[in-house]
Amino acid sequence: MQKRDLLYAGKAKSVYLSDDPQRLVLHFRDDTSAFDGKKKEALERKGMVNNKFNAFIMEKLQAAGIPTHFEQLLSDTECVVKKMEMIPVECVVRNLAAGGLVRRLGVEEGIALNPPTFELFLKNDEKGDPMINESLAETFGWATPEQLATMKSLTFRVNDVLKQLFLDGGMLLVDYKLEFGLFEGEIVLGDEFSPDGCRLWDAETREKLDKDRFRQGLGGVIEAYEEVGRRLGMSFD
Amino acid sequence: MQKRDLLYAGKAKSVYLSDDPQRLVLHFRDDTSAFDGKKKEALERKGMVNNKFNAFIMEKLQAAGIPTHFEQLLSDTECVVKKMEMIPVECVVRNLAAGGLVRRLGVEEGIALNPPTFELFLKNDEKGDPMINESLAETFGWATPEQLATMKSLTFRVNDVLKQLFLDGGMLLVDYKLEFGLFEGEIVLGDEFSPDGCRLWDAETREKLDKDRFRQGLGGVIEAYEEVGRRLGMSFD
Ligand SMILES: Nc1ncnc2c1ncn2[C@@H]1O[C@H](COP(=O)(O)OP(=O)(O)O)[C@@H](O)[C@H]1O
Ligand SMILES: Nc1ncnc2c1ncn2[C@@H]1O[C@H](COP(=O)(O)OP(=O)(O)O)[C@@H](O)[C@H]1O
Ligand SMILES: [Mg+2]
Ligand SMILES: [Mg+2]
């Protein structure tokens, strides 16, 4: 697999074409951002940690029958994925209240959400990733009702797999954001699953082990990501 | 029908018990508010105009087979309605982009929405009436999935009836908000339908004929409401 031209550079990853027109190379950078890109910093080792973390999780999901774009690791900070047409909609499931939900609805952080909630957001930094819904996505052509139904069902299937996986490592999967794309007409999980795009709390102490450490300036960000990985059996060296 | 104790006073209407335990009296006041109650003013004649406007529309909807709480006019500013347990969720349908949709999604005011969009908001002034969705409504117990499906279907049926009614009067029904309640276990349209809770534009000039005149300080608010009513065949004297 040969890396070719840069296709686009996001806030945390750079996406390269490859010698296979159906495959891309994702380069996980150390760049870390929050608040739609308003807070930015490079956190040493993050690219490597998230690349390996994501590979581990994507393989678990693939093994559970969830179609993902992940193909293989290419280097410490790069992996090969299916080249997809991304759907500009973020799918969020929450098991416990935190973050935007607490801010918007004024509910208490940490309360259990039964059943877990499902929300859609438009992936658009300029517009501040506004909350949308199935109706708006259909009318504005961001996704069809059928695609949205598949995305919702896959997002909940991810919950079934990962809630248990993290619990086995002594952690609570509080919430997470997924992005999907189209590959050969099929809805496939894309982007990444890492502590950058989910909330993970220690099951006993409720210590935050995810990007909220960065958002809230708590420090020990990458140390926490590595700790999460180790508890799941990953090795980063 | 005898009016009894005040049950509660909202921003625009006061709700009274009556000698019939199954019926309430709605008193339409002149009080007008916007921005979750932050802008307030009494607009002379508004209570009378909205009471009669609402009666006219509710009867049209009832005649089209949509269950409503409206029973009869009681005075110029009062009507009798079924006493309901209100569902704290606002249903919004939009035919053209305006207001919050334009602000949130950064789309151009006035573009046609095909198909018309459907959104849910939590009726809660303190929290700023945040956007919600079916999943959040279910998890927080605001409404069941079955109730929400009925509310959505009724809200779109209202569109079929009223879009044409206003068009026949030379107006565009841009968007509107409905509230529903439970009466004897059935989902029934409650609250009011008036230019306070919808957007109406002249079909030719796109002049605003609704509460946006108040929100935007354009003046001629009640004159516009009366003009809308007259175009539909109402008389306010
Ligand atoms: N398999 C894929 N095919 C094409 N694009 C992808 C794929 N997976 C992820 N992407 C896109 O690549 C970009 C990843 O970079 P990232 O730094 O996360 O960007 P952003 O700042 O938009 O979040 C995102 O725009 C994401 O949607
Ligand atoms: N049929 C009904 N039974 C009980 N309550 C109703 C009924 N119709 C409307 N309501 C409620 O009465 C109040 C109407 O007053 P309003 O001034 O519009 O209040 P608000 O400031 O909450 O919008 C609202 O809380 C509305 O939900
Ligand atoms: Mg991203
Ligand atoms: Mg009201």
Side-chain angles (χ1 to χ4, degrees):
Chain A
M1 177 63 55
Q2 284 293 312
K3 204 165 102 177
R4 295 276 163 87
D5 286 354
L6 178 72
L7 187 59
Y8 39 79
K11 297 187 296 298
K13 301 187 289 300
S14 298
V15 182
Y16 295 88
L17 295 171
S18 75
D19 52 3
D20 180 342
Q22 300 264 63
R23 299 288 178 269
L24 297 172
V25 172
L26 287 192
H27 173 225
F28 286 72
R29 307 193 315 269
D30 287 343
D31 298 325
T32 313
S33 74
F35 313 119
D36 302 316
K38 280 181 219 96
K39 174 169 180 168
K40 278 192 237 178
E41 210 173 309
L43 298 177
E44 220 177 318
R45 293 170 60 84
K46 198 197 71 154
M48 181 271 289
V49 169
N50 274 3
N51 183 44
K52 293 184 180 175
F53 195 109
N54 176 61
F56 181 93
I57 298 287
M58 287 282 171
E59 280 174 348
K60 292 281 183 201
L61 296 175
Q62 194 79 50
I66 293 158
T68 87
H69 70 155
F70 182 79
E71 296 273 314
Q72 63 187 87
L73 283 172
L74 188 65
S75 74
D76 267 11
T77 58
E78 295 166 311
C79 67
V80 180
V81 299
K82 296 184 177 72
K83 183 177 194 294
M84 300 206 292
E85 186 193 324
M86 296 302 288
I87 293 173
V89 167
E90 303 187 336
C91 296
V92 171
V93 160
R94 303 178 193 267
N95 295 303
L96 300 169
L101 188 83
V102 166
R103 266 195 311 280
R104 277 169 14 236
L105 301 186
V107 298
E108 204 190 327
E109 184 177 82
I111 59 168
L113 301 173
N114 287 315
T117 61
F118 181 75
E119 293 152 279
L120 296 174
F121 296 88
L122 180 63
K123 187 169 161 61
N124 187 314
D125 284 327
E126 277 161 57
K127 298 177 178 179
D129 288 354
M131 183 174 174
I132 59 167
N133 64 24
E134 279 87 348
S135 166
L136 295 166
E138 180 187 3
T139 296
F140 286 101
W142 297 316
T144 69
E146 298 69 35
Q147 290 169 345
L148 293 162
T150 303
M151 288 159 65
K152 179 172 176 173
S153 145
L154 289 173
T155 303
F156 275 118
R157 281 175 61 196
V158 165
N159 203 32
D160 294 334
V161 178
L162 296 188
K163 217 163 54 171
Q164 191 59 51
L165 184 83
F166 286 107
L167 199 58
D168 292 343
M171 292 167 287
L172 300 172
L173 177 59
V174 173
D175 57 33
Y176 55 92
K177 178 268 294 177
L178 301 182
E179 296 179 24
F180 293 88
L182 285 169
F183 184 73
E184 296 176 346
E186 196 200 358
I187 295 280
V188 171
L189 177 61
D191 207 48
E192 68 181 278
F193 193 104
S194 75
D196 267 11
C198 68
R199 287 190 173 85
L200 295 163
W201 293 351
D202 182 275
E204 293 296 315
T205 64
R206 299 214 160 190
E207 189 192 359
K208 295 181 201 302
L209 302 169
D210 55 64
K211 198 161 86 174
D212 270 349
R213 300 199 70 84
F214 173 72
R215 290 191 191 92
Q216 301 175 5
L218 301 175
V221 181
I222 302 313
E223 291 77 0
Y225 288 22
E226 290 182 288
E227 166 68 12
V228 172
R230 270 193 302 272
R231 291 200 199 177
L232 299 182
M234 300 176 204
S235 99
F236 294 110
D237 313 296
Chain B
M1 175 65 51
Q2 283 295 314
K3 206 165 103 176
R4 295 277 163 86
D5 286 353
L6 179 72
L7 188 58
Y8 39 78
K11 297 188 296 299
K13 301 187 289 299
S14 298
V15 182
Y16 294 88
L17 295 171
S18 75
D19 52 3
D20 180 342
Q22 301 264 61
R23 299 288 178 270
L24 297 172
V25 172
L26 287 191
H27 172 224
F28 286 70
R29 307 194 313 269
D30 287 343
D31 297 325
T32 313
S33 74
F35 313 119
D36 302 316
K38 279 180 219 96
K39 176 171 179 165
K40 276 192 239 177
E41 211 173 309
L43 298 177
E44 218 177 318
R45 292 168 61 82
K46 198 197 70 153
M48 181 271 290
V49 169
N50 275 3
N51 183 44
K52 293 185 180 173
F53 195 108
N54 176 62
F56 182 94
I57 298 287
M58 288 281 171
E59 280 174 348
K60 292 278 183 202
L61 296 175
Q62 194 78 49
I66 294 158
T68 86
H69 69 155
F70 182 79
E71 297 274 314
Q72 63 187 90
L73 283 172
L74 188 64
S75 74
D76 267 10
T77 58
E78 294 166 311
C79 67
V80 180
V81 298
K82 296 183 176 72
K83 183 176 193 294
M84 301 207 290
E85 186 193 325
M86 295 302 287
I87 293 173
V89 167
E90 304 187 335
C91 296
V92 172
V93 159
R94 301 178 193 267
N95 295 304
L96 300 169
L101 189 81
V102 166
R103 266 195 312 280
R104 276 167 17 236
L105 302 185
V107 297
E108 203 190 326
E109 183 176 82
I111 60 169
L113 301 172
N114 287 315
T117 62
F118 181 76
E119 293 152 278
L120 296 174
F121 297 87
L122 180 64
K123 186 169 162 63
N124 187 313
D125 284 327
E126 276 162 58
K127 298 179 178 178
D129 288 353
M131 182 174 173
I132 58 167
N133 63 26
E134 279 87 347
S135 165
L136 295 166
E138 180 188 3
T139 296
F140 286 100
W142 297 316
T144 68
E146 298 69 35
Q147 290 169 344
L148 293 162
T150 303
M151 288 158 65
K152 179 173 176 172
S153 145
L154 290 173
T155 303
F156 275 118
R157 279 175 60 195
V158 166
N159 203 32
D160 294 335
V161 178
L162 296 189
K163 218 163 54 172
Q164 191 59 51
L165 184 82
F166 285 108
L167 199 58
D168 291 343
M171 291 168 287
L172 300 172
L173 177 58
V174 174
D175 56 34
Y176 55 93
K177 177 269 293 176
L178 302 182
E179 295 179 26
F180 294 88
L182 285 169
F183 184 74
E184 296 175 347
E186 196 200 359
I187 295 280
V188 170
L189 178 60
D191 205 50
E192 69 181 276
F193 193 104
S194 76
D196 267 10
C198 67
R199 287 190 172 86
L200 295 164
W201 294 351
D202 182 277
E204 293 295 315
T205 64
R206 298 212 161 194
E207 190 192 357
K208 296 183 203 299
L209 303 170
D210 54 65
K211 198 163 83 172
D212 270 350
R213 299 199 71 84
F214 174 72
R215 291 191 191 93
Q216 301 175 6
L218 301 175
V221 180
I222 301 314
E223 291 76 1
Y225 288 22
E226 290 181 287
E227 165 68 12
V228 172
R230 269 192 303 271
R231 291 200 199 177
L232 300 182
M234 299 175 207
S235 98
F236 294 109
D237 313 296

